[in-house]
Amino acid sequence: MTERPTVIYNDSCPICSREVAGYRRMAERDGVDVGFAGLSEGTHQDHGLSRDQAARRFHVVKDGTLYSGLPAFAVLWAEMPRLRWLAWLVRLPVLSRILGLIYDHLVAPALYALYRRRQRRAESVSGKGRAG
């Protein structure tokens, strides 16, 4: 028996949350058993990830294995009837390498930088309220 996949995502990132909400709706509509755990739930710690490590990339846990980045997306997409073709596509050797590099060196760092920027702004706003 295989364990249902669980998505570990940055629920304080509006972009990540919006994307995962779409996966959640699709899974519910198609009757696919997928778990979703935001960083605020602390599940990432169960898999040896710090909050910062978990916030930097997309993660999926399936059958006790933690997948990160593009392989994590492929694991999730393979579970979703409407997206299985996409999982197959991104697992092709040449595409996997190219798309993995794009995700690892452009997409994930850019999303993480936006997340950190929002965090710094929130901290500076909350800090101003206390200084008065």
Side-chain angles (χ1 to χ4, degrees):
M1 183 171 172
T2 63
E3 169 191 330
R4 80 177 181 161
T6 299
V7 174
I8 299 173
Y9 69 101
N10 186 352
D11 54 355
S12 62
C13 168
I15 296 168
C16 305
S17 293
R18 196 172 312 120
E19 181 176 0
V20 169
Y23 293 137
R24 185 187 309 259
R25 283 189 305 273
M26 190 180 297
E28 289 171 0
R29 202 174 22 231
D30 294 341
V32 177
D33 189 18
V34 176
F36 296 91
L39 296 185
S40 61
E41 296 174 37
T43 306
H44 58 284
Q45 296 169 343
D46 298 341
H47 303 286
L49 292 170
S50 70
R51 185 175 181 83
D52 188 63
Q53 288 170 320
R56 287 179 181 270
R57 301 169 61 81
F58 187 77
H59 297 86
V60 173
V61 177
K62 183 166 185 211
D63 297 328
T65 301
L66 176 68
Y67 298 89
S68 178
L70 188 63
F73 282 102
V75 167
L76 175 63
W77 295 338
E79 297 290 323
M80 317 283 274
R82 299 175 200 204
L83 299 177
R84 283 191 184 124
W85 66 271
L86 191 53
W88 174 83
L89 188 68
V90 301
R91 286 176 170 157
L92 292 174
V94 173
L95 275 180
S96 176
R97 179 138 172 84
I98 292 168
L99 295 175
L101 288 170
I102 291 169
Y103 178 82
D104 291 342
H105 297 288
L106 295 174
V107 176
L111 288 173
Y112 182 72
L114 288 171
Y115 162 71
R116 293 291 298 149
R117 185 172 153 203
R118 279 190 300 276
Q119 275 190 321
R120 284 191 299 275
R121 283 185 178 167
E123 289 167 2
S124 70
V125 168
S126 65
K128 287 180 185 176
R130 287 185 251 165

